[in-house]
Amino acid sequence: IETHNIAVGSEESEVEFSVDEEFSPNYSKDLNGKFKIKVEQKKIDTILVIRNQNIAIKIDVERSEMDVLRGSKELLEGNDCLIQLECENENQKEVLEFLSKIGYAKLNLKGDNDDLYFANFKIE
């Protein structure tokens, strides 16, 4: 396991996260919270240059799913991936369309709350 103390998204930049509670671990890009931090952001495709591997990915990014997926497109297309994605209802249609276009199918697995599962290979 390799860790990186950065945000991930569709472009290389500095982004602002915020939250309303001072000691909350749930900072988000799309909130206009009282407490703010600036964070370096990179694309996953820049951090992980991996090809022809079997990969399991967990994405839980507080409504920034599409931003992360767009910045991961090369990784997702170049590997056999199983994705567990927490995604609220209002974002699910766009996520489904994006992943379907690059060869992923939604799996009928039961997860917690808003978790969706996808794969670009056949699971038996």
Side-chain angles (χ1 to χ4, degrees):
I1 295 176
E2 189 176 319
T3 62
H4 301 269
N5 191 21
I6 58 171
V8 292
S10 60
E11 60 185 41
E12 314 267 326
S13 64
E14 184 176 80
V15 293
E16 184 174 85
F17 283 71
S18 68
V19 71
D20 286 326
E21 302 87 22
E22 187 172 8
F23 297 105
S24 174
N26 296 320
Y27 278 78
S28 181
K29 286 187 209 178
D30 65 349
L31 297 176
N32 190 20
K34 181 176 173 183
F35 300 96
K36 300 177 186 320
I37 57 172
K38 291 196 182 241
V39 178
E40 177 187 12
Q41 175 177 278
K42 291 188 175 188
K43 297 188 316 182
I44 288 178
D45 285 339
T46 302
I47 301 164
L48 300 173
V49 181
I50 302 169
R51 296 291 177 266
N52 302 314
Q53 299 294 313
N54 298 324
I55 300 175
I57 301 171
K58 165 69 169 143
I59 300 174
D60 182 354
V61 291
E62 307 300 327
R63 297 168 303 283
S64 295
E65 298 84 16
M66 285 307 307
D67 194 36
V68 171
L69 290 170
R70 285 186 191 103
S72 308
K73 190 174 180 196
E74 291 176 26
L75 180 81
L76 298 175
E77 290 181 320
N79 297 283
D80 287 339
C81 300
L82 172 65
I83 303 170
Q84 179 182 357
L85 176 73
E86 182 180 295
C87 185
E88 295 181 9
N89 286 336
E90 63 269 12
N91 298 331
Q92 288 184 8
K93 181 180 179 194
E94 189 176 13
V95 165
L96 288 166
E97 288 174 1
F98 176 85
L99 289 172
S100 177
K101 283 181 185 176
I102 62 170
Y104 282 78
K106 185 173 179 276
L107 304 175
N108 292 321
L109 300 174
K110 181 69 175 143
D112 292 337
N113 303 321
D114 298 320
D115 283 357
L116 302 174
Y117 294 86
F118 299 90
N120 63 345
F121 59 94
K122 187 172 179 158
I123 296 179
E124 296 183 39

